[in-house]
């Protein structure tokens, strides 16, 4: 070969010749690269200069807005000047005039001996046959408040009821999660009374399997309004002529989700199914009182007794129901053992601060629930805690709440679903990554902790522009303790 074309066939040559040719080729290549010019339409450019490496400086901790100095009135303790609830009373379930088998089941299986304040006042009135409106915060035992009288009355019917009789009690709840929770409580409560059969119908389940269950027979029916109305219209085996109880649980949430028309249609269908002159007993439970709830009380309850566990002295007030103060003017209540904190953090530092807080609380005895409003924040929080979804299909769309237990992360499809009525066991901290829409949502969110007399903590994240939100909560009787981002909670 007259000229080296870059191919080197080392079949019989010595290693020295191979190394020499390799060096020559390498030198020639480097020389061509240093003398390479770039031809363009406007002429010849000089050789391209080597790019310099620049150090990237993050602005995460720079150019943040100043943290405003708050007046002392906004930094008062949560225990001052706000109504609170004394959760437990001095009376026991054994003091009630109910079946001894029911008392034994409550004490041995459910591990419940002492009644809460709302149970102490409402259960005797319900056993007497009164319509009752219960206004009490979440976490005060409202489910057992109606479940115990309902099961007691049904097991007391002679001759014994049969599952083929159909529903004797209808319990309406706003969400499928709360329906499942209420159904599980009823299952445990009817353990001594096997002939009383609870059941559940709710959106998201197969109608065919629910129809088969209704055809077989259900005595205590837990349902979401939309699905129950669908079965009333299309399932011929569902008969409501024996209904004796109607329970409207979380009535304020039923209205918030737009179920007022469905609830009215269900009440009308039950009334039309009953024999002439027969009236069923109705119970309405709500954590807040609004104009919609007052309207629902007027159309569903007959001469009701009002049980309010939000009095100024922390006791429980029983009175005849009248036109009460609406939620826009009333003070909300939070458990006395709940400590409420807020922290002011610039938007850029919010995720970092949350990650540091979660890592600090990542202890075997700590359990934290995080409420936030955007799915993008979910990905960031999960990345910071080392818990990413296994696939894109697992990432929820829309608002979600994150339940962080040690290093495990579970999600709930809607943060308002998790904020209403659900019992999240042993949650120590409620963190609100974004401000809730209104004070009622704030109260429901923090109600996931400090339940049934247990201690709990709540932390609210605010940006410097959201400080005025504290004044809105203050108008409704909610007080906080201010914590700096450098302080340990």
């Amino acid at each position: 070969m007259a000229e080296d074309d870059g191919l080197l066939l080392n079949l019989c040559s010595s290693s020295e010749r191979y190394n020499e040719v390799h060096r020559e080729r390498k030198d020639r290549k480097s020389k061509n690269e240093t003398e390479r010019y770039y031809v363009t339409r406007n002429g010849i450019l000089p050789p391209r200069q080597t790019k310099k490496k620049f150090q990237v400086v993050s602005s995460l901790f720079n150019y943040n807005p100043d943290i405003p100095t708050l007046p002392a009135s906004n930094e008062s303790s949560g225990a001052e000047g706000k109504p609170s609830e004394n959760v437990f009373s001095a009376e026991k379930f054994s003091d009630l005039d109910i079946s001894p088998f029911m008392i034994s089941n409550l004490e041995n299986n459910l591990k419940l001996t002492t009644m809460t304040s709302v149970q102490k006042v409402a259960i005797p009135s319900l056993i007497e046959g009164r319509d009752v409106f219960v206004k009490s915060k979440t976490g005060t035992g409202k489910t057992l408040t109606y479940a115990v009288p309902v099961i007691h009355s049904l097991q007391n019917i002679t001759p014994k009821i049969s599952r083929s009789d159909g529903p004797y009690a209808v319990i309406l709840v706003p969400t499928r999660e709360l329906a499942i929770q209420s159904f599980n409580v009823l299952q445990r409560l009817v353990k001594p009374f096997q002939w009383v059969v609870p059941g559940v119908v709710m959106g998201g389940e197969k109608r065919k399997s629910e129809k088969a269950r209704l055809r077989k027979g259900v005595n205590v029916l837990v349902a979401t309004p939309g699905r129950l109305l669908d079965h009333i219209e299309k399932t011929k085996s569902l008969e409501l002529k024996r209904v004796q109880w109607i329970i409207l649980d979380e009535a304020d949430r039923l209205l918030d989700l737009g179920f007022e028309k469905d609830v009215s249609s269900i009440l009308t269908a039950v009334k039309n199914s009953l024999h002439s002159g027969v009236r069923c007993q109705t119970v309405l439970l709500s954590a807040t009182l609004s104009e919609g709830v007052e309207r629902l009380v007027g159309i569903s309850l007959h001469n009701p007794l009002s049980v309010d566990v939000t009095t100024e002295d922390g006791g429980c007030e029983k009175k005849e129901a009248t036109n009460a103060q609406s939620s826009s003017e009333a003070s909300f209540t939070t458990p006395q053992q709940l400590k409420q904190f807020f922290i002011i953090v610039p938007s850029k530092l919010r995720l970092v601060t949350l990650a540091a807080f979660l890592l600090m609380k990542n202890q075997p005895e700590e359990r934290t629930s995080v409420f936030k409003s955007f799915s993008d924040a979910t990905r960031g929080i999960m990345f910071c805690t080392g818990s990413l979804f296994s696939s894109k299909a697992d990432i929820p769309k829309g608002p979600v709440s994150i339940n962080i237990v040690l290093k495990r992360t579970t999600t709930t499809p809607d943060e308002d679903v998790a904020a209403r009525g659900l019992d999240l066991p042993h949650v120590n901290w409620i963190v609100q990554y974004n401000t809730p829409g209104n004070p009622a949502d704030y109260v429901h969110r923090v109600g996931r902790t400090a339940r049934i007399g247990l201690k709990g903590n709540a932390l609210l994240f605010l940006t410097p522009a959201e400080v005025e939100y504290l004044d809105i909560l203050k108008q409704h009787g909610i007080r906080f303790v201010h914590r700096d981002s450098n302080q340990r909670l």
Side-chain angles (χ1 to χ4, degrees):
M1 298 193 324
E3 185 177 351
D4 182 15
D5 58 357
L7 295 176
L8 179 62
L9 301 179
N10 187 17
L11 300 177
C12 57
S13 59
S14 63
S15 58
E16 294 181 359
R17 176 58 183 164
Y18 170 80
N19 293 335
E20 182 180 353
V21 172
H22 186 70
R23 282 194 301 271
E24 290 178 357
R25 187 180 64 179
K26 188 175 181 180
D27 293 342
R28 186 166 58 251
K29 183 178 179 180
S30 61
K31 182 178 179 181
N32 290 338
E33 288 182 353
T34 56
E35 296 179 355
R36 182 178 300 170
Y37 286 80
Y38 299 91
V39 181
T40 63
R41 292 182 178 179
N42 297 327
I44 300 177
L45 296 178
R48 188 175 297 174
Q49 301 293 327
T50 305
K51 293 183 178 179
K52 296 182 180 180
K53 295 183 179 180
F54 296 95
Q55 183 180 4
V56 178
V57 180
S58 173
S59 63
L60 184 63
F61 299 97
N62 298 324
Y63 308 108
N64 286 311
D66 296 331
I67 304 299
T69 302
L70 300 180
S73 58
N74 278 338
E75 301 181 12
S76 58
S77 173
E80 298 176 1
K82 71 174 184 65
S84 59
E85 297 184 9
N86 293 328
V87 178
F88 286 101
S89 67
E91 296 191 16
K92 298 182 179 180
F93 284 102
S94 57
D95 298 329
L96 295 173
D97 185 19
I98 59 177
S99 168
F101 298 104
M102 173 81 75
I103 296 173
S104 177
N105 185 40
L106 289 168
E107 293 178 348
N108 298 328
N109 295 328
L110 277 72
K111 307 300 179 183
L112 296 173
T113 57
T114 306
M115 290 186 289
T116 63
S117 298
V118 64
Q119 292 167 356
K120 168 190 170 183
V121 177
I123 290 179
S125 299
L126 290 172
I127 293 177
E128 292 174 2
R130 293 286 305 273
D131 285 3
V132 176
F133 167 56
V134 178
K135 179 177 180 288
S136 179
K137 174 185 177 297
T138 55
T140 54
K142 291 199 294 293
T143 301
L144 283 180
T145 299
Y146 66 78
V148 169
V150 167
I151 301 303
H152 168 72
S153 66
L154 297 187
Q155 65 85 26
N156 215 23
I157 296 176
T158 53
K160 290 183 179 180
I161 65 175
S162 171
R163 67 181 304 172
S164 60
D165 293 342
Y168 281 85
V170 175
I171 302 171
L172 295 181
V173 295
T175 63
R176 54 180 285 117
E177 289 79 11
L178 187 54
I180 294 172
Q181 179 177 293
S182 301
F183 173 67
N184 291 336
V185 172
L186 289 168
Q187 277 190 314
R188 299 175 65 187
L189 207 58
V190 301
K191 194 173 182 180
F193 318 109
Q194 296 295 329
W195 62 92
V196 181
V197 180
V200 59
V201 295
M202 55 191 177
E205 298 296 319
K206 294 182 179 178
R207 288 183 176 86
K208 186 176 181 180
S209 60
E210 289 183 345
K211 286 184 177 181
R213 202 179 307 134
L214 293 173
R215 192 179 303 115
K216 193 174 182 180
V218 172
N219 300 129
V220 183
L221 183 59
V222 183
T224 52
R227 178 53 60 92
L228 178 58
L229 187 59
D230 181 69
H231 281 295
I232 290 175
E233 296 172 350
K234 300 179 181 179
T235 304
K236 295 181 179 180
S237 59
L238 178 61
E239 295 183 353
L240 304 175
K241 60 183 179 181
R242 293 185 178 88
V243 173
Q244 298 181 1
W245 291 83
I246 294 181
I247 315 295
L248 304 178
D249 196 7
E250 297 290 341
D252 51 349
R253 185 60 176 160
L254 283 170
L255 300 178
D256 290 343
L257 293 177
F259 286 130
E260 184 174 2
K261 185 177 179 180
D262 291 346
V263 171
S264 299
S265 299
I266 292 170
L267 294 175
T268 302
V270 172
K271 183 179 179 180
N272 294 336
S273 300
L274 297 176
H275 297 292
S276 178
V278 178
R279 190 188 65 82
C280 60
Q281 188 175 351
T282 308
V283 186
L284 190 147
L285 306 100
S286 177
T288 58
L289 184 61
S290 63
E291 293 181 2
V293 173
E294 291 180 12
R295 186 166 58 251
L296 194 58
V297 169
I299 65 175
S300 61
L301 304 183
H302 173 71
N303 190 24
L305 183 72
S306 177
V307 177
D308 191 352
V309 198
T310 60
T311 55
E312 293 295 332
D313 58 357
C316 184
E317 182 181 0
K318 180 173 71 172
K319 60 183 180 180
E320 298 298 324
T322 56
N323 292 332
Q325 194 179 21
S326 66
S327 62
S328 61
E329 301 172 354
S331 293
F332 296 114
T333 61
T334 54
Q336 201 168 14
Q337 65 277 10
L338 174 66
K339 296 181 179 179
Q340 301 176 82
F341 305 93
F342 73 91
I343 184 172
I344 304 175
V345 185
S347 298
K348 290 191 296 184
L349 298 178
R350 183 177 292 192
L351 185 58
V352 176
T353 306
L354 176 62
F357 175 83
L358 294 178
L359 293 175
M360 181 182 67
K361 296 299 178 182
N362 189 17
Q363 303 296 329
E365 69 278 1
E366 295 286 348
R367 192 163 183 166
T368 303
S369 181
V370 181
F371 287 90
K372 24 73 56 227
S373 303
F374 304 101
S375 56
D376 290 341
T378 304
R379 298 177 177 86
I381 294 170
M382 290 182 148
F383 180 78
C384 291
T385 55
S387 302
L388 285 171
F389 286 106
S390 58
S391 65
K392 290 184 178 180
D394 296 330
I395 301 177
K397 296 177 175 60
V400 298
S401 77
I402 303 175
N403 226 7
I404 298 173
V405 185
L406 302 183
K407 291 186 178 179
R408 300 184 300 276
T409 303
T410 59
T411 61
T412 307
D414 191 313
E415 63 178 0
D416 288 328
V417 168
R420 299 287 182 128
L422 290 186
D423 185 16
L424 306 177
H426 311 299
V427 172
N428 307 100
W429 279 90
I430 295 294
V431 178
Q432 302 194 51
Y433 188 70
N434 305 98
T435 54
N438 56 64
D441 289 336
Y442 172 85
V443 171
H444 279 288
R445 289 183 183 183
V446 298
R448 301 312 98 210
T449 188
R451 298 175 68 84
I452 313 296
L454 299 176
K455 294 182 179 180
N457 305 277
L459 177 63
L460 174 65
F461 276 68
L462 297 171
T463 63
E466 295 173 335
V467 173
E468 293 182 358
Y469 186 72
L470 294 174
D471 296 329
I472 299 176
L473 295 178
K474 181 182 176 182
Q475 293 173 5
H476 293 272
I478 300 173
R479 298 289 191 273
F480 292 88
V481 176
H482 182 204
R483 285 291 181 266
D484 187 81
S485 58
N486 297 322
Q487 289 180 287
R488 183 182 180 90
L489 290 170

